[in-house]
Amino acid sequence: MENFFNDLINPNNFSEQIDIQGFKEDKLFYFLRQMMLIRLVENKLASARRDNIIGGPVHLGVGQEAIAVGVASNLNKSDRVFGAHRSHAHVLSMGADIFKLFAEVLGRDSGLSRGMGGSMHLWDQPNGFYGSVPIVSGTVPLAVGAGIAASIQKTNDIAVSYFGDGAMEEGVVHESLNLAKITNAPVLFVAENNLFSSHMHISLRQPSSMLSRFAIANNIPYQVVDGNNIVSISNAAKKLINNLRNGDGPGFIEAVTYRWYGHVDWREDVDVGVNRSNMDIKKWKMRDPILRLKKALLDKNLIKENEIESLENDLNSAINHAWSKSLSAPFPPKESLLSRVYAK
Amino acid sequence: MQNKLYNYGTAILSAFEYLLEKYPEVFVMGQGLWSPWYVGNSMTNLDKKFGKKRIIDTPVSESACTGAAVGASLAGLKPIVVHPRMDFMLYAMDAIVNQAAKWSHMIGGQANPCVTIRGIINRGGEQGAQHSQALHAWFAHIPGLRVVMPYSVADARDLFIASVLCKDPVIFIDDRWLYEQEDTLSPIVELDLKKEGPKCIATGKDLTIVASGYSTLLAMKAKDELEKYKISAEIMDLRVLNPLDSSPLIESIKKTGRLIVIDGGWKNCGMAGEVIAAIVENLDLNHFKSSPQRITLPDAPAPTSRELEKIYYPDVHKIINMSRFILQ
Ligand SMILES: Cc1ncc(C[n+]2csc(CCOP(=O)(O)OP(=O)(O)O)c2C)c(N)n1
Ligand SMILES: [Mg+2]
């Protein structure tokens, strides 16, 4: 596993098309569509932030789309998913309405969190998304609790906790792994290892870059996957989630990936990153999870260039429509400042 | 050394430089110290000047880092921990409240954690509930912690130095909304934090406005506006919130007979309520020409939506209205 992990973090590897053997066409198209949707939505957010139309910070996960889409392809709306500051993909992969996401980022009353939370506080429980927050690791124990609840409630549902390599440094994440294991809670921990916590590379923060060493320490079944390969993620998640639903306790996925934008907003942040270079960004862009799936689909004659183009056009017109609708959506009423503090 | 122009951020930077040059036992740890991102212009290039051994950019581990700083202080160093946002400090509450604050008392005053914990208030810009908090009142509630909240550029530098040199654990709270303030400072003179407290920074006769940190800036701006209404306000800057010395405040009310406290925290169990109580219980009510008032945040988390953010924070307008109201 260590060797595979070391290959994964080397930006020179894994730029070839992915192996789609054994996957049904409609599933592959679904993967493509979802990843493209997320990419286009986030690029829209990036430009609107740059143009100062969005007033608050946006943490973009462009380049990391495969992880959320691959995991979510094995989830139900009755599952309980928790995210963090970089969670547009997590919520969209569960089926969130793009208009509601845009409206939220713009602070409008019709947004996912009724305009009270913006990009960093998203909620879409009807679709299985229980919440995302910017306090690093804040939702990890919450996901464990939602998993414990599922087992008390005797449902088949599971909880999912998305967190980053930076979050791994918070004590509460380690408490959560231990707690989930000892209570046999159905929690899937999804560690998105993009090698950075804001400006700092993982090698400056941790003695080993492989996060799954903590799954091993807690005796939690784990998989290390290429986070830019939608098929491997979907497979790994499927296997672990089956076990979770069978009552076998928590699982852990470490998905190695890279974010194309800087930590926050639209810039690439090469200058302020420690160990972040133009060359690395260029190489990681060759490992684009969408491109690698497209290449495979084209190679196997499952799709044509012009079909991809028209898919992109369709997605863009849906996005543009949702965007202009959200720009004219009303802000929350003034009373909401006080009326939403406690339960009605 | 001559007088030099600083802003609030570079004043803090100069305090760091002074301390790190003069006191080898000072070291700094916190997130973002090797990057220009989190700490504005207040720590630029310290790592290059003093080395990465004394200026440590840490993992995302507020609890361990703060506890480690407390431990290092017990072992003879003068650590400074930097939390680029107060909200992140909540993971460090045990080290601050159970350990640092209690240490001296529970071992009979035989050892003191000489640690400074710098928590930065960083809000606005639609960042919302978990990236906006001003929790000075929480810390001021805890015996054993000294809580410092500078408004002026000079205090940003001089009270920071005094905090680090003080033997007790100090929570030093600076506010990103003050970083652009400028002033010309004279050469550094070390102050004894135990002797510092609330200060009258502008005299007046009709009304006393008490505030700290950014709220004091609002009070100063309001003072100028109020002149137009022929209202003369006296501005008292708290500077040190715990232990709170109410005597200079009481002297001011004896003169003006009217009190407004402005605070960027919440109302319930907040700093403004504490200031009013500390004055009222020590001053005959005959001195008051009107009942004391406070202007605080509404008792709600910070919203993100720009329309709600606009009405959320105390501003000059609210101070003018309140002042005119109590002078009617
Ligand atoms: C408790 C806490 N500490 C620090 C921060 C500042 N911060 C915001 S995001 C971030 C990086 C987290 O990195 P990671 O978990 O790897 O997620 P990524 O940004 O890579 O998606 C940090 C340090 C925070 N929001 N909360
Ligand atoms: Mg990361």
Side-chain angles (χ1 to χ4, degrees), chain A residues 78-97:
Chain A
S78 53
D79 290 323
R80 299 123 195 243
V81 178
F82 291 84
H85 54 289
R86 200 179 305 286
S87 278
H88 303 139
H90 304 148
V91 76
L92 287 173
S93 69
M94 295 300 289
D97 183 303

Side-chain angles (χ1 to χ4, degrees), chain A residues 20-274:
Chain A
I20 53 175
Q21 195 83 36
F23 264 83
K24 290 210 183 76
E25 262 171 65
D26 55 346
K27 190 93 183 214
L28 295 167
F29 292 153
Y30 163 83
F31 287 157
L32 181 66
R33 195 194 139 81
Q34 286 293 86
M35 289 198 292
M36 282 174 67
L37 174 77
I38 294 168
R39 170 81 47 97
L40 295 169
V41 163
E42 288 212 297
N43 281 335
K44 181 92 197 166
L45 294 175
S47 61
R49 177 66 176 137
R50 186 197 54 220
D51 298 343
N52 220 8
I53 301 168
I54 296 172
V58 287
H59 298 79
L60 303 165
V62 169
Q64 306 186 180
E65 299 87 350
I67 301 166
V69 173
V71 170
S73 66
N74 297 285
L75 296 175
N76 307 319
K77 300 217 181 291
S78 53
D79 290 323
R80 299 123 195 243
V81 178
F82 291 84
H85 54 289
R86 200 179 305 286
S87 278
H88 303 139
H90 304 148
V91 76
L92 287 173
S93 69
M94 295 300 289
D97 183 303
I98 48 176
F99 160 70
K100 287 188 178 173
L101 175 64
F102 285 153
E104 188 53 46
V105 173
L106 291 167
R108 310 301 164 116
D109 200 39
S110 34
L112 287 170
S113 306
R114 303 190 65 186
M116 304 304 280
S119 158
M120 302 199 293
H121 315 79
L122 303 170
W123 182 90
D124 193 21
Q125 202 162 322
N127 279 317
F129 192 78
Y130 275 49
S132 59
V133 304
I135 285 294
V136 167
S137 78
T139 59
V140 178
L142 275 54
V144 175
I148 291 174
S151 56
I152 292 173
Q153 290 158 336
K154 298 201 169 63
T155 71
N156 240 353
D157 300 329
I158 66 159
V160 176
S161 174
Y162 286 105
F163 59 95
D165 49 298
M168 199 80 237
E169 291 148 21
E170 295 283 10
V172 70
V173 173
H174 300 271
E175 297 177 27
S176 298
L177 292 171
N178 182 57
L179 180 66
K181 183 65 187 180
I182 210 70
T183 56
N184 205 43
V187 187
L188 181 67
F189 296 96
V190 183
E192 296 185 83
N193 191 350
N194 61 13
L195 308 173
F196 279 87
S197 169
S198 73
H199 60 295
M200 276 231 276
H201 190 261
I202 191 166
S203 57
L204 298 164
R205 300 178 284 116
Q206 297 184 33
S208 152
S209 298
M210 197 171 102
L211 305 178
S212 35
R213 69 193 189 277
F214 298 111
I216 299 171
N218 287 286
N219 204 13
I220 295 175
Y222 72 99
Q223 301 258 327
V224 175
V225 295
D226 175 355
N228 291 16
N229 180 336
I230 181 77
V231 162
S232 343
I233 295 158
S234 179
N235 280 336
K238 186 174 185 177
K239 194 170 152 209
L240 289 168
I241 289 174
N242 276 342
N243 297 344
L244 259 78
R245 295 203 200 277
N246 284 336
D248 295 347
F252 189 106
I253 292 181
E254 174 170 11
V256 177
T257 186
Y258 199 84
R259 56 168 159 69
W260 293 7
Y261 287 109
H263 170 63
V264 62
D265 299 337
W266 72 95
R267 302 173 193 89
E268 285 190 332
D269 285 340
V270 176
D271 45 339
V272 282
V274 182

Side-chain angles (χ1 to χ4, degrees), chain A residues 107 116 134 137 169-170 199 272, chain B residues 37 57 60-62 91 130 305:
Chain A
M116 304 304 280
S137 78
E169 291 148 21
E170 295 283 10
H199 60 295
V272 282
Chain B
W37 274 351
D57 198 338
V60 197
S61 309
E62 292 81 6
Y91 276 137
Q130 299 183 344
S305 189

Side-chain angles (χ1 to χ4, degrees), chain B residues 200 202-208 234 249-258 287 289:
Chain B
C200 176
T203 54
K205 58 179 182 28
D206 300 325
L207 153 77
T208 300
E234 175 146 304
L249 308 176
I250 289 168
E251 289 315 305
S252 174
I253 314 296
K254 276 185 186 162
K255 187 169 73 177
T256 65
R258 296 185 185 87
H287 288 283
K289 296 178 195 149

